[in-house]
Amino acid sequence: MTLSYASGVSVTPLLGDTIGANLDRTVAAFADREALVDMASGRRWTYDQFAADVDAVALGLRDLGVTKGDRVGIWAPNCAEWMLVQYATAKLGAILVNINPAYRVHELEFVLNQAGIRTLVAAPRFKTSDYAAMIEEVRPRCAALTDVILIGTGAWDALVEAGRAGDRHLLHGIGEGLGADDPINIQYTSGTTGFPKGATLSHHNILNNGFFVGELCGYDEEDRVCVPVPFYHCFGMVMGNLAATSHGACIVIPAPAFDPKAALDAVAAERCTSLYGVPTMFIAVLNEPSADTLDLSSLRTGIMAGSPCPVEVMKQVIDRLGMSEVAICYGMTETSPVSTQTRAGDSLDRRVSTVGTVMPHLEIKVIDPETGVTVPRGTPGEFCTRGYSVMLGYWEEPDKTAEAIDAARWMHTGDLAVMDDEGYVNITGRIKDMVIRGGENVYPREIEEFLYTHPDIVDAQVIGVPDEKYGEELMAWVRLREGAPELTAETLREFCQGRLAHFKIPRYVHVVDEFPMTVTGKIRKVQMRAEAVEILGLGDAAAQRHA
């Protein structure tokens, strides 16, 4: 009997340096090669130019008093400045706190206070959100916040100019005082108890994960990686930015937010070799008319991740976009993020129907969730991972950290998985109730807590239901107070609008007198999901095959 355990062997050693030192090494090797292209603004940087601007931003932040361990928030869509701040904070040893561009006022306020953000770099606005006004609204209630720098304004220009006038050699001295295991990044994951938790990651965590993702994609200085996925996720800033810069490759930002036409235009214009996306993005790209008319022959590889990957979509990405070496990755923010990845040499069936095998230098196992014992291969259980990628912990939440990471440093993902005889993994479901909607992790408890504030709702349960476009959509089952007016999906959406991030607003509403319960009084969400498929006629979406 072979157990569901695997370790990733590699002849390539782990990187032991900091993000700043690694960037300096890449710049020394590839100074004149392109590092970054920002399509929306028409700007581009060689590695030498990129390093100069990173150092200017770092010295500008230092002039504001930012030092090692200080939290610097970044609240902006994808843009060159986001990337400059990412590397500048790493050079100072400051901790970059990623803030979701979809956040509303109460979510922004929570993150600013929970992380103790000292300096906030933000876009003035994005889409319909007036970031500047939202920041001013919460600022009196955020004691730690001393500086707000809005990108594209005089404050940003002054920061950069002050940094340009500084002495870049100072950064070498600062760098010598930084360690690879220092915390460098906080990313918030939706909270099971109503509030997000800040996964705290080190240089060692994310630099190595980005590097080995790039290794398995075969990156070198000739590659040009189109990144339409958000930088505030690990997908963008680790699997994208750090995978590229650790190999001397170029990052191409097609647009501030995902736009299928912009992504395809960027691939064609910049001769990109790699394209990233969650399944919904690739579906949109495949449905874009220009997918069949543009010259996309430069594409070789790419990554599909973020939520279960439909087999048919994966096949089309290979056939129509020419991404013959496209990979599926699986992981979570708390593991920097990737634990398994398909390889270019895997058979087509393996690459379209599994999430691959263990990453180099990591361990994975599938356990019985009740006993903690590793199950035989072919038996479903909870997926766990251990190694360099496991986060330092949840920011200032040791109890929550202990719930996720056991005494032997195994991260318990809450995902149900099966490992086959060759070590390939399939993700079959979740122990937790987490819903993954178009690559966004959503915890129903957070939405349920919010729905309780509705004057007519006495009880609410939120579940994920199958969706052909987003993988999963949100459905709220609610009990109403006696005499309450009819509640529809539309009226509930109006109640949530502007108070919840758009991806947390339920698409479907089902009013009930009582919820399905176990004999011990627990809500039976499994039964609710099965009933919802029937009620909503989602049989086709439920039948889709995923990796």
Side-chain angles (χ1 to χ4, degrees):
M1 179 183 73
T2 307
L3 294 177
S4 297
Y5 168 88
S7 60
V9 296
S10 177
V11 295
T12 306
L14 287 166
L15 302 175
D17 49 11
T18 63
I19 290 167
N22 183 263
L23 177 63
D24 288 344
R25 186 161 29 257
T26 298
V27 172
F30 305 113
D32 296 330
R33 295 199 69 88
E34 275 194 332
L36 172 62
V37 178
D38 186 357
M39 299 295 286
S41 65
R43 296 172 296 167
R44 53 185 69 229
W45 287 255
T46 63
Y47 266 100
D48 206 34
Q49 292 165 338
F50 180 69
D53 280 0
V54 164
D55 287 0
V57 173
L59 289 167
L61 289 170
R62 181 180 173 277
D63 281 355
L64 291 178
V66 174
T67 59
K68 179 180 177 179
D70 285 344
R71 273 76 69 206
V72 176
I74 177 80
W75 194 27
N78 286 13
C79 59
E81 288 81 4
W82 208 111
M83 203 167 161
L84 292 172
V85 171
Q86 177 185 348
Y87 288 82
T89 49
K91 285 210 162 189
L92 292 175
I95 301 172
L96 183 71
V97 183
N98 303 3
I99 304 175
N100 190 324
Y103 272 3
R104 311 307 297 172
V105 168
H106 79 281
E107 295 157 317
L108 171 67
E109 183 178 341
F110 171 79
V111 167
L112 289 171
N113 283 319
Q114 206 277 332
I117 290 173
R118 180 194 190 285
T119 302
L120 176 61
V121 179
R125 60 183 307 108
F126 177 55
K127 294 185 177 177
T128 59
S129 296
D130 186 341
Y131 286 178
M134 293 162 80
I135 293 164
E136 287 311 305
E137 182 180 337
V138 303
R139 197 168 183 174
R141 303 190 293 275
C142 299
L145 188 61
T146 58
D147 294 289
V148 175
I149 299 120
L150 298 179
I151 294 167
T153 68
W156 173 263
D157 293 341
L159 175 92
V160 175
E161 287 311 309
R164 285 198 208 287
D167 182 359
R168 292 176 74 179
H169 290 293
L170 286 172
L171 294 173
H172 293 296
I174 292 170
E176 287 172 359
L178 305 180
D181 293 320
D182 294 337
I184 201 65
N185 184 220
I186 297 174
Q187 298 195 35
Y188 280 86
T189 65
S190 284
T192 51
T193 54
F195 292 106
K197 303 186 293 289
T200 307
L201 304 167
S202 67
H203 294 270
H204 196 65
N205 288 151
I206 59 177
L207 175 59
N208 276 291
N209 204 257
F211 174 71
F212 280 101
V213 165
E215 286 287 286
L216 296 188
C217 287
Y219 287 163
D220 62 22
E221 69 276 12
E222 300 288 337
D223 279 292
R224 299 173 72 78
V225 186
C226 182
V227 182
V229 296
F231 285 165
Y232 75 87
H233 270 175
C234 274
F235 201 169
M237 69 164 285
V238 178
M239 298 155 71
N241 298 348
L242 286 168
T245 60
S246 60
H247 290 88
C250 177
I251 286 285
V252 177
I253 307 171
F258 174 66
D259 176 296
K261 186 176 186 305
L264 286 166
D265 288 346
V267 168
E270 295 297 324
R271 308 301 296 153
C272 294
T273 57
S274 179
L275 174 63
Y276 286 8
V278 299
T280 52
M281 291 181 178
F282 277 110
I283 291 167
V285 163
L286 290 164
N287 287 332
E288 184 62 36
S290 58
D292 295 314
T293 58
L294 287 170
D295 179 3
L296 307 176
S297 60
S298 58
L299 280 176
R300 167 182 67 81
T301 188
I303 295 173
M304 195 186 296
S307 65
C309 304
V311 171
E312 291 308 311
V313 174
M314 190 71 170
K315 286 179 177 175
Q316 283 196 55
V317 165
I318 293 169
D319 294 341
R320 288 180 53 204
L321 301 182
M323 294 167 59
S324 59
E325 298 175 22
V326 66
I328 284 181
C329 292
Y330 160 76
M332 61 194 306
T333 303
E334 290 90 336
T335 56
S336 303
V338 182
S339 295
T340 69
Q341 182 172 338
T342 60
R343 274 59 162 178
D346 288 340
S347 70
L348 179 65
D349 183 59
R350 294 288 199 201
R351 287 196 293 129
V352 300
S353 63
T354 78
V355 294
T357 52
V358 63
M359 292 287 284
H361 300 289
L362 294 180
E363 297 173 274
I364 61 173
K365 65 178 179 178
V366 180
I367 64 167
D368 181 320
E370 298 296 319
T371 65
V373 173
T374 305
V375 299
R377 294 205 176 182
T379 306
E382 183 182 16
F383 184 93
C384 299
T385 185
R386 178 168 69 178
Y388 76 80
S389 68
V390 176
M391 66 174 178
L392 299 178
Y394 292 118
W395 183 257
E396 295 190 338
E397 295 201 78
D399 292 345
K400 296 281 192 299
T401 303
E403 289 171 16
I405 303 171
D406 67 25
R409 289 291 298 170
W410 285 99
M411 177 78 204
H412 291 248
T413 66
D415 287 334
L416 291 168
V418 178
M419 185 186 296
D420 72 12
D421 288 338
E422 278 76 50
Y424 289 85
V425 174
N426 273 89
I427 303 300
T428 57
R430 282 182 298 283
I431 297 167
K432 302 172 185 173
D433 283 328
M434 184 178 75
V435 177
I436 303 180
R437 181 197 179 276
E440 296 281 4
N441 291 357
V442 184
Y443 283 89
R445 178 69 184 274
E446 183 180 0
I447 302 162
E448 289 161 4
E449 295 281 350
F450 177 77
L451 293 181
Y452 289 136
T453 67
H454 191 293
D456 296 329
I457 293 176
V458 294
D459 202 356
Q461 295 292 324
V462 174
I463 59 172
V465 295
D467 185 78
E468 289 187 351
K469 181 177 180 182
Y470 292 106
E472 289 183 290
E473 264 288 7
L474 294 168
M475 181 184 190
W477 288 42
V478 297
R479 291 173 50 230
L480 300 179
R481 65 173 175 80
E482 202 169 328
E486 181 187 10
L487 184 73
T488 65
E490 190 56 45
T491 55
L492 185 65
R493 189 175 299 114
E494 287 172 10
F495 177 77
C496 298
Q497 209 78 45
R499 301 172 70 190
L500 273 184
H502 67 87
F503 58 84
K504 298 178 186 174
I505 299 175
R507 179 175 176 184
Y508 306 106
V509 171
H510 183 49
V511 178
V512 295
D513 294 325
E514 57 185 15
F515 301 117
M517 305 278 248
T518 65
V519 290
T520 56
K522 291 182 179 176
I523 304 287
R524 295 204 70 239
K525 285 197 171 181
V526 171
Q527 182 181 333
M528 288 167 62
R529 276 188 280 269
E531 289 182 21
V533 170
E534 296 296 319
I535 293 165
L536 301 172
L538 299 175
D540 287 349
Q544 269 196 332
R545 286 177 64 213
H546 295 93

